[in-house]
């Protein structure tokens, strides 16, 4: 699934909604372009929950101009602990 949400102002609420994709049993690849969307630490923490997906193998997240801060970066770093994730790209 490739979602180009560039400059759509989804914010943290949108990021939280996208994190619900972790429940999909058929999602193996996810590419999200969240550049220019006002995603902050809270949104990044929500997206870090994608690590709990049992079927997600490839994840790409683009955060250009987002203000995820140290806490958001630390939460995203937890994605490395996913047992199913083989490829991770964070921009």
């Amino acid at each position: 699934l490739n979602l180009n949400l560039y400059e759509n102002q989804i914010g943290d609420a949108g990021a939280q909604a996208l994190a619900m994709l972790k429940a999909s049993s058929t999602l193996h690849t996810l590419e999200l372009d969240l550049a220019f969307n006002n995603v902050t630490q809270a949104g990044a923490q929500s997206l870090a929950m994608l690590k709990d997906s049992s079927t997600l193998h490839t994840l790409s997240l683009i955060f250009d101009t987002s203000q995820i801060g140290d806490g958001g970066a630390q939460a995203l770093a937890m994605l490395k602990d996913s047992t199913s994730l083989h490829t991770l790209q964070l921009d």
Side-chain angles (χ1 to χ4, degrees):
L1 177 62
N2 184 333
L3 296 175
N4 183 348
L5 300 171
Y6 179 91
E7 205 169 8
N8 275 282
Q9 304 304 318
I10 66 162
D12 293 332
Q16 184 176 17
L18 289 167
M20 300 303 279
L21 289 168
K22 71 178 182 178
S24 172
S25 61
T26 58
L27 185 64
H28 302 290
T29 300
L30 179 60
E31 298 177 23
L32 295 175
D33 185 345
L34 302 173
F36 295 92
N37 272 292
N38 297 325
V39 176
T40 68
Q41 178 176 320
Q45 288 171 331
S46 294
L47 289 167
M49 293 188 311
L50 289 168
K51 73 176 175 49
D52 297 331
S53 170
S54 60
T55 59
L56 188 60
H57 302 298
T58 302
L59 176 61
S60 175
L61 299 172
I62 299 172
F63 288 106
D64 289 350
T65 73
S66 296
Q67 303 295 319
I68 63 170
D70 293 343
Q74 289 173 351
L76 292 171
M78 299 303 292
L79 288 166
K80 70 179 178 13
D81 296 333
S82 170
T83 56
S84 63
L85 202 56
H86 299 225
T87 304
L88 174 63
Q89 178 181 347
L90 300 173
D91 291 327

